[in-house]
Amino acid sequence: MSEKVVNLEINGRGFQAREGMTILEVAKREGIPIPTLCHHDALEPVGACRLCMVEITHPNWRGWKGLVTACLYPVEEGLQVTTESQEIHQVRKTILDLLLARCPDAPYIQKVAAEHGVTATSFKKNEVQTVCILCGLCVRVCAVKGCNAIGTARRGIRREIAAPFGMPPPDCIGCTSCAHICPTDAIPWEDVNGVRKIWDQEFEMVRCVSCGRPIMPVTQLEFEAKRAGISPDYMTTCPACSQQKTLETIRTAFTIKRPASEDAVEAAS
Amino acid sequence: MQKTLVITPSRCTACRTCELACSFKHAGPAGLGISRIRAFMFGEGKNQILTCFQCDDAACVKVCPVTALARNEATGAIEVDEDRCIGCGLCSLACPFGHMAHDGRMAIAIKCDLCGGQPACATFCPTRTLEYI
Amino acid sequence: MSETSIDPDRVRSILTRYPQGDGSGLIHALQDIQAEFGYVACEAVARLCEHLNIPLSKAFSVATFYKAFSLEPKGETIIRVCTGTACHIRGSQILADELSSLLDVEPGGTTKDLKFTLETVNCVGACAMAPVVAFNGVYQGNVQPGALTRKIRGGK
Amino acid sequence: MRINSVKSLTRAAGRARGERKRLETEVLVCAGTGCLANGSMDVAEAFLGAIRRRKLEARLKLGFKTTGCHGFCEKGPLVIIQPQGIFYKGVKAKDVKEIVDQTLLKGQVIQRLLYRDPNTKQRVEQYAEIPFYSKQHRIALRNIGKIDPKCIDDCLAVGGYTGLAKALTEMKPTEVIDAVTESGLRGRGGGGFPTGRKWKTCREAEDPTKYVLCNADEGDPGAFMDRSICEGDPHAVLEGMVIGAWAVGASKGYIYVREEYPLAVKHLQAAIEQARERGFLGDDILGTGFSYDVQIARGGGAFVCGESSALMKSVAGEVGEPRAKYVHSVIRGLYDKPTVLNNVETWANVPWIITEGAAAFASLGTKKSTGTKTFSLVGKVKNTGLVEVPMGITLREIIYDIGGGIIKNRPFKGVQTGGPSGGCLPEGKLDLPVDFDTLTEAGSMMGSGGMIVMDDRTCMVDVARYFLKFLVDESCGKCVPCREGVHQLHQTVNDICAGNGRPGDLERIEALSDVVVKASLCALGKSAPNPILSTLRYFREEYEAHINDRKCPAGVCRNLFTFRISPEICNGCGLCAKSCPVDCIAGEKKEVHVIDASVCTRCGACRNVCPTDAVEVI
């Protein structure tokens, strides 16, 4: 990203930002709320949900103004942004209304819609009801993790998130990142007796070397250790046991090797 | 020079003021958060305080798949970018010292951030067990 | 899923046309697989993905996104009813409905005996002869209701 | 043989022209998709057989070739005999013997194979005199129908690649861009963006790796201009692309062709190979040191891939999902490199502009929409086919003068332009000049040039429903307003057509359309409500009839009408009974016929064949 600093206005107030930052990034930094559904800071913005639409104009645009998605639009010198207006509210309301017709039973969508004054959909409820809003966060997080196990299938209104060929995805490591990032809890998973089930697949879990509590799937451990370039042993102790071990180590070290009055532990920096 | 959080366990009375201070400082509107520092009571003179060592070669940073963990060069603390964290839990598993936590089932990671340079635990520690110097 | 077995040699000969590790060949290679086997069989796609070094999920997304690909084997005769605008206003919907009820399949479906696959296509660019129906790629223009029934009954 | 200089190009062209001049007679058989479907291959084979058997080549100094689409597809198979310019339509293989005997050997014209003007009932002998052709002005289609598209020499004989030679040897890249800018050429794919400006931005982009692409996806149903050009004159497209590549500084490009156009792929592929052999493509083009090569990327069947960012994704082998173009594709396009994308017709115009000059192009058409535009004139019009006319001509001239008016002289109802992103214009707009801006103002758009004529038997609600259904199927599904919004619009209109419309539906449609237009990610979604908004604007009463009276006045929406044979009009000819696919029409010869409404599927076959218009919609 360039280091060039540009001046822009959001809701009439002037701000500075690095050129190439998105409107959403600047607004977030300044504490100006813009609603989003498909956005996550760790993932590439895609502009799918359209909830973050804001109005932009520019003194050089001879009065032209239009709606853009804040998550994608890069700021530029002189840009004037409005984050709230009658028109923007209408767009956001309609989007949530449409999503409510798609997912009438998704509590999260009900909540966000209610925040925008939509308590029931004015459209025909979709025949195939789902809680998936197709924000694509799951697919993107899977890609960021380097697995690419799941993807979109088909197009248009028949689009869905799917494992390839409807089979247990061969590239899935059972990490459940997709399920955790999902705002509407549309991806089911469970851990039962040291076995994780997700995407019609069962994963044997690695157990904590101290307490035996299941930690993560064996496949995931191998994958993550390789990706991070660390020994898998780093991740075979659960946090509670690690803490206990640390405590024991410190106590032993200080009670045996040094007089208690002189011990000092520095938090390294 | 960069300040560090210095812990002198021999002074600790395990009053747990640090835990409270940490919780209040990081609490969201929901109420008390999880404390990033913990005091363990083993009897006078043997009490222990555990919090993040802010390791130089930190495993948590290495395993994070979305670079949500990064060192704040000003304070030296490794901080969690809460908007980037995807709650995968790898960092808390990778920390060999058990210094990281997750708030609820796979929510975002929690760790000591030295309160951005004004650690509340040190500020409120009544016995100077915790000093930020 | 597959009803016919996929000959690995035939898959291999398709793969040799595409440089290893170059994902941009995906759509073309899938088209070749579709042409060779009549559908994009899972086994063939899995081998292709290894060859091009792309995840299976991506190939699946592509194979289901584009209309050219079918995950199921198609019938002997593929009947494509053009539903372009010119054909539509000259009554192609009636032809599609007629075929649909005659063959007892929805557009996109294949008859149980694997004889016919009925498809609708957006436009074959033969608008001047609307409505157009293509039998295995052979176009027939100015088709009137009833003519298809006669043709298929006669051919059956 | 490789052509390494302008001089050797001139020589090669001269040789090719000489070959042609040697011929005293030439038979041209149209082998475009339309004529092929009508059986023109059989005709061609019959000619070839006769020529061989009867040694006509030597006897008559006869040339024979199959050409690209003449545009008059409806009358195919078409045969043209040069130099007389005799135009035969609807030729069958069995007519070939007669043509050889009468026309080729004796020079006599066969009356029954001539075109008959449907309005004047006169037979027309000459190609150039047929009103369908005489009002046209062909630039993009300049060579189509005259040359054998599979033969590069034929293309050289009519001046192919001279524009390229001029650009590479006499003009700097910036001068080429200036010429295109001055010509006023705007993108023929739909948006009408000024081509010169696009090229200039791309040239000035910092990244040295650039791409020049051709969009031959032509997804608009009811349009086949680009198909005809790719099939009939593929070298014009290639020549244009190389000129464009020289102008912007690209060394690689792709032609993205629809998979539904197998013949276009074949001809383009052959043309690319020939052009490489001759040194018009590849390294060191025409010995100038400039290099540019083209590959074909076959589409996978997705309308959305006509959108530039989706097309570029598809070329890269990915799902064709558009991205937000806040950074334009001329700066960040294919593989994130600066990319010029123009459609087939735009590219085909470029060589002409270079050879004939920017001023010649700018002198045609209107001030802001220069040059000519190709349209596929189809639907309920007498002469259907491909037409190229100067911009600014009125819709009426196209439909009535070139198209010959409405089939069976029925009343005109509307004309749909611009494909699924366009709109329907009523009678009152027929005198509007056809150019980019006027059509947009009227609520439609130029689009790629589909022009579908509709008569009183076309239901405009059904047309809107048709386009919405099309777009529901073709939306990529990435963004909410397009995926969910267009689906909801379609549901509502579907209900209206099925007789389940509710009061307030139209207002709800308008409110939702407003959001879909404003909030969708790409042009597909942003323009998706156009067909419904334009029909609501001009044909609102038809919607109201569907909703309030539960009637489809045009007799299309099958739940909302029944057919009845008017006893006053019926003359008992019996044609209706013969045409009925479900045998529900009874009646003795010369007696009034009756439809059994309980069996009738309302397919309309009887109404189409009735010579006296006795079949009524009630």
Side-chain angles (χ1 to χ4, degrees):
Chain A
M1 200 178 287
S2 90
E3 291 302 313
K4 198 176 145 197
V5 171
V6 296
N7 298 287
L8 71 151
E9 267 179 31
I10 303 181
N11 298 338
R13 283 166 56 204
F15 298 105
Q16 286 197 327
R18 264 177 303 124
E19 192 179 38
M21 276 177 89
T22 64
I23 295 175
L24 185 64
E25 284 172 325
V26 180
K28 215 167 187 173
R29 189 191 70 194
E30 302 301 336
I32 300 163
I34 296 176
T36 60
L37 279 174
C38 70
H39 182 78
H40 192 288
D41 278 5
L43 306 174
E44 276 283 296
V46 292
C49 75
R50 321 302 288 170
L51 207 59
C52 68
M53 295 212 100
V54 294
E55 188 189 280
I56 55 163
T57 187
H58 194 283
N60 296 349
W61 291 352
R62 286 175 293 182
W64 187 89
K65 56 184 183 174
L67 298 183
V68 296
T69 42
C71 68
L72 286 168
Y73 199 91
V75 294
E76 60 195 287
E77 182 63 40
L79 192 72
Q80 296 171 343
V81 182
T82 310
T83 65
E84 310 281 334
S85 74
Q86 192 71 33
E87 190 185 27
I88 293 167
H89 282 282
Q90 191 53 43
V91 166
R92 290 181 186 157
K93 272 173 81 166
T94 308
I95 284 164
L96 290 163
D97 197 345
L98 287 166
L99 284 176
L100 214 48
R102 175 187 176 85
C103 312
D105 303 322
Y108 182 72
I109 297 303
Q110 289 168 349
K111 181 183 138 251
V112 180
E115 284 165 11
H116 287 79
V118 182
T119 47
T121 181
S122 62
F123 300 112
K124 211 178 190 175
K125 285 182 188 169
N126 283 357
E127 281 156 28
V128 185
Q129 290 174 12
T130 160
V131 289
C132 172
I133 56 168
L134 291 169
C135 64
L137 285 171
C138 51
V139 175
R140 280 179 280 154
V141 81
C142 192
V144 157
K145 291 210 66 171
C147 302
N148 289 298
I150 53 169
T152 55
R154 305 207 282 238
R155 65 186 185 210
I157 194 73
R158 295 168 67 231
R159 183 181 171 107
E160 58 185 8
I161 304 297
F165 293 95
M167 300 181 310
D171 298 319
C172 180
I173 55 167
C175 72
T176 62
S177 290
C178 53
H180 297 130
I181 206 161
C182 177
T184 59
D185 280 332
I187 301 173
W189 66 285
E190 57 176 4
D191 283 352
V192 180
N193 298 329
V195 174
R196 174 169 291 172
K197 287 183 193 161
I198 187 166
W199 290 109
D200 294 330
Q201 209 165 171
E202 295 192 350
F203 295 92
E204 189 65 37
M205 304 275 276
V206 178
R207 289 175 182 272
C208 171
V209 288
S210 304
C211 69
R213 192 174 74 94
I215 297 178
M216 68 166 98
V218 179
T219 44
Q220 186 188 0
L221 178 64
E222 287 165 7
F223 180 90
E224 307 284 9
K226 198 172 160 203
R227 186 181 50 75
I230 57 172
S231 159
D233 299 343
Y234 262 94
M235 292 183 282
T236 49
T237 314
C238 74
C241 291
S242 293
Q243 192 170 54
Q244 204 56 44
K245 232 168 63 191
T246 312
L247 206 55
E248 291 301 321
T249 314
I250 295 174
R251 278 185 67 198
T252 325
F254 289 109
T255 46
I256 293 171
K257 287 180 186 162
R258 282 201 268 174
S261 58
E262 288 176 30
D263 62 0
V265 181
E266 273 195 10
S269 54
Chain B
M1 212 190 99
Q2 202 162 55
K3 287 186 177 183
T4 50
L5 185 68
V6 178
I7 306 174
T8 318
S10 58
R11 294 184 196 143
C12 178
T13 60
C15 68
R16 308 181 78 170
T17 307
C18 54
E19 292 186 10
L20 269 177
C22 181
S23 294
F24 275 117
K25 175 86 182 206
H26 293 97
L32 276 185
I34 290 177
S35 173
R36 288 126 167 95
I37 188 165
R38 288 194 67 188
F40 295 87
M41 197 195 298
F42 296 107
E44 193 74 30
K46 293 177 195 162
N47 297 330
Q48 291 293 347
I49 300 268
L50 285 191
T51 190
C52 177
F53 297 150
Q54 319 289 2
C55 310
D56 278 342
D57 188 19
C60 55
V61 175
K62 274 194 194 161
V63 292
C64 179
V66 293
T67 55
L69 287 154
R71 193 178 301 278
N72 179 334
E73 292 303 335
T75 62
I78 294 169
E79 296 177 354
V80 179
D81 181 339
E82 296 184 358
D83 289 328
R84 286 188 72 83
C85 174
I86 56 170
C88 68
L90 283 177
C91 49
S92 49
L93 285 171
C95 176
F97 311 110
H99 283 331
M100 295 197 69
H102 276 79
D103 190 0
R105 196 180 95 158
M106 291 293 182
I108 52 168
I110 286 181
K111 74 176 290 300
C112 169
D113 57 358
L114 295 175
C115 299
Q118 279 183 313
C121 51
T123 312
F124 290 96
C125 179
T127 62
R128 288 181 31 247
T129 303
L130 297 160
E131 293 169 294
Y132 192 60
I133 45 179
Chain C
M1 160 152 292
S2 69
E3 285 160 45
T4 43
S5 66
I6 295 300
D7 178 0
D9 286 342
R10 282 158 74 196
V11 178
R12 220 168 293 139
S13 80
I14 291 173
L15 299 189
T16 54
R17 295 171 214 162
Y18 299 92
Q20 242 172 331
D22 179 4
S24 69
L26 177 63
I27 293 176
H28 283 189
L30 284 174
Q31 276 164 332
D32 289 356
I33 291 173
Q34 172 80 40
E36 180 75 30
F37 300 104
Y39 70 115
V40 284
C42 179
E43 301 98 294
V45 176
R47 299 185 68 93
L48 173 67
C49 286
E50 269 170 45
H51 183 80
L52 300 179
N53 192 23
I54 52 169
L56 191 62
S57 61
K58 187 179 163 186
F60 184 69
S61 296
V62 168
T64 54
F65 184 86
Y66 294 101
K67 234 180 161 177
F69 308 118
S70 159
L71 300 187
E72 308 284 335
K74 286 195 182 176
E76 257 167 63
T77 307
I78 298 169
I79 308 176
R80 290 177 132 188
V81 180
C82 179
T83 53
T85 323
C87 289
H88 178 79
I89 67 162
R90 289 200 190 169
S92 66
Q93 191 54 50
I94 290 160
L95 302 178
D97 291 349
E98 183 185 332
L99 285 169
S100 203
S101 74
L102 180 71
L103 301 172
D104 195 23
V105 286
E106 289 296 304
T110 301
T111 54
K112 285 197 191 78
D113 59 4
L114 285 177
K115 280 226 157 40
F116 295 99
T117 295
L118 176 62
E119 289 178 353
T120 55
V121 51
N122 285 339
C123 184
V124 296
C127 315
M129 299 157 18
V132 177
V133 179
F135 289 78
N136 277 344
V138 179
Y139 294 175
Q140 204 172 324
N142 298 311
V143 182
Q144 293 302 313
L148 295 169
T149 305
R150 286 193 290 279
K151 181 177 170 109
I152 287 168
R153 288 240 169 92
K156 245 186 178 173
Chain D
M1 198 188 65
R2 212 182 144 82
I3 293 171
N4 275 324
S5 65
V6 178
K7 227 178 189 172
S8 66
L9 172 65
T10 317
R11 270 202 304 274
R15 266 198 308 276
R17 260 194 304 275
E19 280 291 305
R20 280 169 71 121
K21 270 196 193 131
R22 194 180 55 79
L23 303 172
E24 281 176 10
T25 321
E26 211 174 11
V27 177
L28 308 171
V29 175
C30 177
T33 293
C35 282
L36 282 179
N38 282 330
S40 71
M41 246 329 125
D42 297 340
V43 177
E45 272 163 25
F47 267 113
L48 283 171
I51 290 168
R52 209 174 39 241
R53 270 195 319 278
R54 303 168 68 172
K55 302 195 172 52
L56 297 176
E57 223 161 24
R59 269 166 76 192
L60 297 174
K61 290 193 183 149
L62 179 80
F64 173 83
K65 65 185 156 207
T66 51
T67 69
C69 180
H70 285 261
F72 211 1
C73 311
E74 193 197 0
K75 307 287 178 202
L78 307 176
V79 175
I80 293 172
I81 296 166
Q82 295 288 23
Q84 301 93 319
I86 300 168
F87 180 86
Y88 289 145
K89 52 103 191 150
V91 179
K92 298 271 176 289
K94 63 178 167 46
D95 299 325
V96 168
K97 186 174 181 302
E98 195 180 346
I99 296 176
V100 172
D101 290 339
Q102 299 295 320
T103 312
L104 296 185
L105 293 171
K106 292 189 197 148
Q108 281 170 6
V109 175
I110 304 163
Q111 286 297 314
R112 69 177 173 87
L113 292 176
L114 290 178
Y115 171 76
R116 196 164 78 147
D117 190 315
N119 296 324
T120 62
K121 308 283 182 222
Q122 293 292 305
R123 298 270 179 196
V124 186
E125 190 180 307
Q126 293 283 315
Y127 180 80
E129 285 167 11
I130 297 169
F132 180 78
Y133 290 109
S134 58
K135 277 234 171 186
Q136 294 193 42
H137 190 112
R138 295 192 157 197
I139 292 178
L141 306 178
R142 58 194 176 278
N143 298 327
I144 299 177
K146 294 182 194 160
I147 59 165
D148 179 350
K150 300 183 291 302
C151 173
I152 194 168
D153 282 325
D154 226 26
C155 167
L156 297 183
V158 294
Y161 292 103
T162 49
L164 174 65
K166 182 175 173 190
L168 288 186
T169 58
E170 295 171 30
M171 298 166 85
K172 288 196 208 104
T174 47
E175 287 171 343
V176 173
I177 293 176
D178 289 345
V180 172
T181 307
E182 280 160 31
S183 77
L185 179 66
R186 293 170 69 172
R188 262 53 175 159
F193 192 84
T195 307
R197 204 183 331 151
K198 193 188 267 186
W199 293 13
K200 188 164 184 275
T201 316
C202 186
R203 173 156 193 91
E204 287 166 0
E206 273 168 33
D207 203 310
T209 309
K210 297 183 166 85
Y211 291 99
V212 162
L213 311 186
C214 172
N215 182 353
D217 192 47
E218 194 164 55
D220 286 5
F224 56 101
M225 299 73 57
D226 292 349
R227 172 180 70 66
S228 290
I229 297 174
C230 292
E231 285 174 11
D233 193 8
H235 289 289
V237 182
L238 293 180
E239 188 183 351
M241 287 179 77
V242 186
I243 295 171
W246 165 247
V248 304
S251 59
K252 202 163 164 22
Y254 294 88
I255 305 180
Y256 186 84
V257 198
R258 287 186 85 192
E259 63 113 10
E260 289 90 342
Y261 288 175
L263 193 65
V265 173
K266 202 171 133 194
H267 285 189
L268 280 168
Q269 189 62 53
I272 288 172
E273 278 157 27
Q274 289 173 355
R276 275 192 202 131
E277 258 169 49
R278 294 301 178 90
F280 300 126
L281 267 183
D283 289 336
D284 192 16
I285 293 171
L286 280 171
T288 59
F290 174 66
S291 300
Y292 171 75
D293 206 357
V294 169
Q295 262 180 297
I296 288 183
R298 277 179 293 160
F303 173 71
V304 69
C305 290
E307 198 275 347
S308 61
S309 64
L311 183 147
M312 289 169 198
K313 284 257 187 88
S314 191
V315 168
E318 292 176 33
V319 164
E321 270 171 21
R323 64 166 176 84
K325 287 188 285 186
Y326 299 141
V327 180
H328 289 288
S329 55
V330 276
I331 305 287
R332 224 179 70 201
L334 182 64
Y335 299 119
D336 286 340
K337 301 292 180 191
T339 305
V340 159
L341 172 70
N342 284 120
N343 88 328
V344 170
E345 190 184 342
T346 316
W347 286 124
N349 276 308
V350 170
W352 194 92
I353 291 170
I354 299 299
T355 49
E356 308 296 318
F361 194 84
S363 70
L364 291 160
T366 65
K367 195 158 175 268
K368 282 186 161 174
S369 299
T370 58
T372 58
K373 176 78 193 86
T374 311
F375 292 97
S376 68
L377 181 62
V378 294
K380 307 274 184 83
V381 63
K382 282 177 188 159
N383 302 328
T384 61
L386 213 59
V387 303
E388 185 173 349
V389 289
M391 295 265 195
I393 188 173
T394 64
L395 285 164
R396 191 183 298 280
E397 283 173 277
I398 297 178
I399 295 167
Y400 285 91
D401 297 349
I402 297 175
I406 311 301
I407 292 179
K408 293 186 184 163
N409 293 327
R410 301 202 62 83
F412 169 89
K413 186 190 261 182
V415 56
Q416 210 279 346
T417 68
S421 315
C424 294
L425 300 177
E427 171 96 49
K429 301 283 175 188
L430 274 183
D431 292 308
L432 285 185
V434 175
D435 63 57
F436 288 105
D437 310 302
T438 312
L439 286 182
T440 306
E441 266 164 45
S444 183
M445 64 185 273
M446 179 79 87
S448 60
M451 193 172 273
I452 296 119
V453 180
M454 299 167 185
D455 66 2
D456 61 335
R457 287 180 179 177
T458 312
C459 168
M460 301 317 270
V461 188
D462 176 69
V463 167
R465 183 181 68 120
Y466 165 80
F467 281 114
L468 288 169
K469 169 78 170 54
F470 178 91
L471 291 160
V472 167
D473 288 342
E474 294 297 337
S475 161
C476 78
K478 180 174 172 177
C479 77
V480 176
C482 177
R483 182 185 68 231
E484 307 291 335
V486 179
H487 169 69
Q488 291 289 351
L489 286 173
H490 174 242
Q491 298 252 305
T492 312
V493 179
N494 226 4
D495 283 350
I496 295 174
C497 289
N500 300 321
R502 294 172 303 159
D505 272 353
L506 301 184
E507 291 70 25
R508 274 189 290 274
I509 286 171
E510 282 162 333
L512 176 55
S513 296
D514 182 52
V515 172
V516 174
V517 169
K518 282 178 188 156
S520 290
L521 189 151
C522 79
L524 187 150
K526 282 183 186 299
S527 61
N530 277 2
I532 189 167
L533 290 177
S534 70
T535 46
L536 265 177
R537 176 166 161 191
Y538 296 120
F539 306 96
R540 200 178 184 97
E541 68 289 348
E542 219 168 317
Y543 282 86
E544 283 160 356
H546 282 69
I547 296 171
N548 303 335
D549 315 332
R550 302 270 184 260
K551 285 280 167 224
C552 176
V556 174
C557 301
R558 293 201 227 175
N559 285 359
L560 300 184
F561 71 94
T562 47
F563 282 129
R564 188 185 79 121
I565 295 174
S566 161
E568 290 83 45
I569 306 175
C570 177
N571 63 5
C573 72
L575 280 176
C576 54
K578 266 191 219 139
S579 76
C580 179
V582 291
D583 293 328
C584 74
I585 305 179
E588 294 301 313
K589 198 112 193 119
K590 308 242 163 148
E591 301 279 325
V592 168
H593 282 52
V594 179
I595 296 175
D596 179 351
S598 65
V599 182
C600 174
T601 61
R602 303 178 189 91
C603 75
C606 53
R607 185 161 67 143
N608 286 344
V609 296
C610 181
T612 55
D613 271 351
V615 182
E616 300 172 333
V617 170
I618 55 168

Coordinates of all heavy atoms in Angstrom, one line a residue, chain A residues 154-176:
Chain A
R154 N -22.7 -24.0 -8.1 CA -23.8 -23.5 -8.9 C -23.8 -22.0 -8.8 O -22.9 -21.3 -8.4 CB -25.1 -24.1 -8.5 CG -25.1 -25.6 -8.5 CD -26.5 -26.1 -8.8 NE -27.2 -26.1 -7.6 CZ -27.8 -27.2 -7.0 NH1 -27.6 -28.4 -7.6 NH2 -28.5 -27.1 -5.9
R155 N -24.9 -21.4 -9.3 CA -24.9 -19.9 -9.4 C -26.3 -19.4 -9.1 O -27.3 -20.2 -9.0 CB -24.4 -19.5 -10.7 CG -25.3 -19.9 -11.9 CD -24.6 -19.5 -13.2 NE -25.5 -19.8 -14.3 CZ -25.0 -20.1 -15.5 NH1 -23.7 -20.2 -15.7 NH2 -25.9 -20.3 -16.5
G156 N -26.4 -18.1 -9.1 CA -27.7 -17.4 -8.9 C -28.3 -17.9 -7.6 O -27.7 -18.2 -6.6
I157 N -29.7 -18.0 -7.7 CA -30.4 -18.3 -6.5 C -30.2 -19.7 -6.0 O -30.4 -20.1 -4.9 CB -31.9 -18.0 -6.8 CG1 -32.8 -18.0 -5.5 CG2 -32.5 -19.1 -7.8 CD1 -32.6 -16.8 -4.7
R158 N -29.6 -20.5 -6.9 CA -29.3 -21.9 -6.5 C -27.9 -22.1 -6.0 O -27.4 -23.2 -5.7 CB -29.5 -22.8 -7.7 CG -31.0 -22.9 -8.2 CD -31.1 -23.6 -9.5 NE -30.8 -25.0 -9.5 CZ -30.0 -25.5 -10.3 NH1 -29.4 -24.8 -11.3 NH2 -29.7 -26.8 -10.2
R159 N -27.2 -21.0 -5.9 CA -25.8 -21.0 -5.3 C -25.8 -21.6 -3.9 O -26.8 -21.3 -3.1 CB -25.3 -19.6 -5.3 CG -23.9 -19.4 -4.8 CD -23.6 -17.9 -4.9 NE -22.4 -17.5 -4.3 CZ -21.3 -17.1 -5.0 NH1 -21.4 -17.1 -6.3 NH2 -20.2 -16.6 -4.4
E160 N -24.8 -22.3 -3.6 CA -24.7 -22.8 -2.2 C -23.2 -23.0 -1.9 O -22.4 -23.0 -2.7 CB -25.5 -24.1 -2.0 CG -25.0 -25.2 -3.0 CD -25.9 -26.4 -2.9 OE1 -26.9 -26.4 -2.2 OE2 -25.5 -27.5 -3.5
I161 N -23.0 -23.2 -0.6 CA -21.6 -23.5 -0.2 C -21.6 -25.0 -0.1 O -22.5 -25.6 0.5 CB -21.3 -22.9 1.2 CG1 -21.6 -21.4 1.2 CG2 -19.9 -23.3 1.7 CD1 -20.7 -20.6 0.3
A162 N -20.6 -25.6 -0.7 CA -20.6 -27.1 -0.8 C -19.3 -27.7 -0.8 O -18.3 -27.0 -1.1 CB -21.4 -27.5 -2.0
A163 N -19.2 -28.9 -0.3 CA -18.1 -29.7 -0.5 C -18.1 -30.3 -1.9 O -19.1 -30.6 -2.4 CB -18.1 -30.9 0.5
P164 N -16.9 -30.5 -2.5 CA -16.9 -30.9 -3.9 C -17.6 -32.3 -4.1 O -17.4 -33.2 -3.4 CB -15.4 -31.0 -4.3 CG -14.7 -30.8 -3.0 CD -15.6 -30.2 -2.0
F165 N -18.4 -32.3 -5.1 CA -19.1 -33.5 -5.5 C -20.0 -34.1 -4.4 O -20.3 -35.3 -4.4 CB -18.2 -34.6 -6.1 CG -17.5 -34.1 -7.4 CD1 -16.3 -33.5 -7.4 CD2 -18.2 -34.3 -8.6 CE1 -15.7 -33.1 -8.6 CE2 -17.6 -33.9 -9.8 CZ -16.4 -33.3 -9.8
G166 N -20.3 -33.2 -3.4 CA -21.2 -33.7 -2.4 C -20.6 -34.8 -1.5 O -21.3 -35.4 -0.7
M167 N -19.2 -34.9 -1.6 CA -18.6 -35.9 -0.8 C -17.8 -35.3 0.4 O -17.7 -34.1 0.4 CB -17.6 -36.7 -1.7 CG -18.2 -37.4 -2.9 SD -16.9 -38.3 -3.8 CE -15.7 -37.0 -4.0
P168 N -17.4 -36.0 1.3 CA -16.5 -35.4 2.4 C -15.3 -34.8 1.7 O -14.7 -35.5 0.9 CB -16.1 -36.6 3.2 CG -17.1 -37.7 3.0 CD -17.6 -37.5 1.6
P169 N -15.1 -33.5 1.9 CA -14.0 -32.8 1.2 C -12.6 -33.4 1.5 O -12.2 -33.4 2.7 CB -14.1 -31.4 1.6 CG -15.0 -31.4 2.8 CD -15.8 -32.6 2.8
P170 N -11.9 -33.8 0.5 CA -10.6 -34.5 0.7 C -9.6 -33.5 1.3 O -8.6 -33.9 2.0 CB -10.1 -34.9 -0.7 CG -11.0 -34.2 -1.6 CD -12.3 -33.9 -0.9
D171 N -9.7 -32.2 1.1 CA -8.8 -31.2 1.6 C -9.1 -30.7 3.0 O -8.4 -29.9 3.5 CB -8.6 -30.1 0.6 CG -8.1 -30.5 -0.7 OD1 -7.2 -31.4 -0.8 OD2 -8.7 -30.0 -1.8
C172 N -10.2 -31.2 3.6 CA -10.6 -30.6 4.9 C -9.7 -31.2 6.0 O -9.4 -32.4 6.0 CB -12.1 -31.0 5.1 SG -12.7 -30.4 6.7
I173 N -9.2 -30.4 6.9 CA -8.4 -30.8 8.0 C -9.2 -30.9 9.3 O -8.7 -31.2 10.3 CB -7.2 -30.0 8.1 CG1 -7.5 -28.5 8.3 CG2 -6.2 -30.2 6.9 CD1 -6.4 -27.6 8.8
G174 N -10.5 -30.5 9.2 CA -11.3 -30.6 10.4 C -11.1 -29.4 11.4 O -11.3 -29.6 12.6
C175 N -10.6 -28.3 10.9 CA -10.2 -27.2 11.8 C -11.4 -26.4 12.3 O -11.3 -25.7 13.3 CB -9.2 -26.3 11.2 SG -9.9 -25.2 9.9
T176 N -12.6 -26.5 11.7 CA -13.8 -25.8 12.0 C -13.7 -24.3 11.9 O -14.6 -23.6 12.4 CB -14.3 -26.2 13.4 OG1 -13.3 -25.8 14.4 CG2 -14.6 -27.6 13.6

